[in-house]
Amino acid sequence: QAKQLGRNTWQWFEEAMNSQASYRVKLRNQLQDAIDNHALTLYYQPMIDSRTGQARSVEALVRWEHPELGLVSPADFVPLAEETGQIIALGEWVLDQACRDMVKLHAAGFRDCSVGVNISPVQIRKTDFLATVKRALGESGLPAQALDLEMVESAVINDTSQVVDTLHKLRELGVQISIDDFGTGFSSLTYIKQMPANRIKIDNSFIKEVIKNRSDAAITRGVISMAHHLSLEVVAEGVETEAQANFLRRNQCDLLQGYAFSRPMPFEQLTEYMNLHGHRGAGGSDNAE
Ligand code: C2E
Ligand code: MG
Ligand code: MG
Ligand code: MG
């Protein structure tokens, strides 16, 4: 059935999610196979410092190399993995791999580059997440400051206190926390007070028409200003054009991420990219200029 794909992947998954149990079971088994046999891979997308033009942060984005569908987007399979609980094993693999890759990037001279890792609310609620992060850092040797956990606001809805407590402990370790897709949640202003974050990422839906749409422009400027008053750093995601980048630079957005600079790419390519556009940190490195 997967073969008769005149439709796009998303529809295929949507159907799988909503149709017969047997279909879903097949997909779940395939995903389990991918997790067990390392058919998952991480792509990285740089975030550019708006003042220097250099990359000093990257985001890890998981991909599934599906035998029939090709490279599958996480937007398609993360919801399934959250439903089945597979997100826990998947998320641990992502965290470990991202830490290992970043240690390699640091060794190549990019000592103050941090890596953003997307964390599902399920991971924080259903596991000893603090222990998982400590282990990943310990085993890889990555400094806590170089790890940046990207979380959506809804992560702290419902069982707020336990999750917020975990986030505070992570901050005490030195780990960074970003609020992802900012502006799309239910209760941005309430949760931004409670989340011990040090960065927010403005959702790409606001950036898309920031040049044409006066409301989007006003919201974007307002969010940047608010974030700075809260001592938070601001990332704009989905920056596709030079006009958008200029608008964001003019309005003091700290970091820019999007196709205007680079698409997500495999780690090998990231190293080459960083050699051209990366910030070489001093951080006690022998390789520093
Ligand atoms: P996100 O965290 O908001 O990631 C940004 C998404 O925007 C990525 O999609 C990225 O490829 C895409 N993007 C980047 N620049 C542009 C641009 O200029 N224009 C447009 N239109 N899109 C751009 P991707 O890789 O398909 O990931 C989708 C979502 O899946 C992510 O959204 C994140 O929520 C989730 N995700 C990705 N990796 C993981 C993971 O390891 N664990 C978990 N739990 N979720 C993940
Ligand atoms: Mg993200
Ligand atoms: Mg995002
Ligand atoms: Mg987004």
Side-chain angles (χ1 to χ4, degrees):
Q1 203 167 351
K3 282 288 183 190
Q4 54 141 65
L5 270 173
R7 301 153 299 160
N8 64 36
T9 324
W10 184 81
Q11 282 172 308
W12 192 84
F13 272 88
E14 184 75 344
E15 192 172 301
M17 295 278 287
N18 295 327
S19 68
Q20 325 90 312
S22 65
Y23 210 50
R24 294 169 49 82
V25 168
K26 181 184 167 190
L27 197 59
R28 193 187 68 200
N29 290 342
Q30 287 184 335
L31 182 57
Q32 194 57 46
D33 234 43
I35 295 169
D36 295 341
N37 301 313
H38 305 290
L40 299 174
T41 180
L42 290 185
Y43 274 42
Y44 291 94
Q45 188 177 36
M47 295 175 220
I48 312 300
D49 187 306
S50 67
R51 280 163 310 159
T52 65
Q54 290 182 314
R56 62 173 166 92
S57 211
V58 299
E59 177 172 7
L61 296 157
V62 68
R63 299 285 181 266
W64 176 10
E65 286 163 351
H66 189 283
E68 288 151 348
L69 300 167
L71 214 55
V72 181
S73 158
D76 297 324
F77 65 86
V78 164
L80 173 74
E82 286 178 328
E83 228 181 275
T84 60
Q86 290 167 305
I87 192 69
I88 288 166
L90 191 158
E92 267 188 47
W93 178 83
V94 169
L95 188 63
D96 287 338
Q97 189 59 39
C99 289
R100 284 193 293 261
D101 284 344
M102 208 42 41
V103 165
K104 281 197 236 165
L105 200 66
H106 282 200
F110 304 99
R111 303 237 161 223
D112 43 22
C113 187
S114 61
V115 63
V117 176
N118 292 286
I119 302 298
S120 161
V122 179
Q123 287 174 269
I124 309 193
R125 294 206 193 103
K126 297 278 160 70
T127 62
D128 186 352
F129 189 61
L130 183 65
T132 303
V133 173
K134 280 185 181 167
R135 188 193 46 71
L137 291 172
E139 284 177 6
S140 64
L142 187 72
Q145 291 71 19
L147 179 63
D148 176 6
L149 303 175
E150 297 197 3
M151 249 162 297
V152 293
E153 296 150 79
S154 62
V156 296
I157 294 176
N158 299 326
D159 44 355
T160 311
S161 61
Q162 184 232 320
V163 174
V164 171
D165 185 54
T166 302
L167 296 183
H168 275 289
K169 287 182 175 140
L170 287 162
R171 288 289 295 131
E172 280 162 26
L173 280 184
V175 171
Q176 317 217 45
I177 292 169
S178 291
I179 305 179
D180 206 352
D181 300 342
F182 184 79
T184 61
F186 295 99
S187 196
S188 310
L189 299 178
T190 301
Y191 288 98
I192 199 175
K193 281 203 309 191
Q194 297 180 9
M195 271 176 97
N198 42 355
R199 215 184 239 185
I200 68 174
K201 301 189 76 171
I202 304 178
D203 191 63
N204 55 13
S205 58
F206 297 103
I207 307 304
K208 200 171 162 52
E209 308 223 304
V210 79
I211 301 301
K212 281 179 269 172
N213 185 309
R214 292 182 60 187
S215 307
D216 286 338
I219 290 167
T220 300
R221 295 168 69 168
V223 168
I224 294 169
S225 161
M226 177 194 68
H228 286 165
H229 280 106
L230 293 165
S231 303
L232 301 171
E233 206 171 38
V234 188
V235 184
E237 60 177 31
V239 183
E240 295 188 352
T241 68
E242 195 49 38
Q244 291 166 345
N246 281 332
F247 174 91
L248 294 160
R249 284 189 199 102
R250 260 201 324 277
N251 288 288
Q252 270 88 51
C253 184
D254 304 289
L255 290 157
L256 311 176
Q257 178 180 359
Y259 299 163
F261 302 96
S262 170
R263 289 186 176 256
M265 59 198 145
F267 182 73
E268 292 67 37
Q269 248 170 279
L270 176 71
T271 312
E272 288 168 36
Y273 179 93
M274 291 298 284
N275 279 324
L276 294 171
H277 306 289
H279 175 74
R280 288 188 175 271
S285 158
D286 298 327
N287 300 342
E289 289 141 273

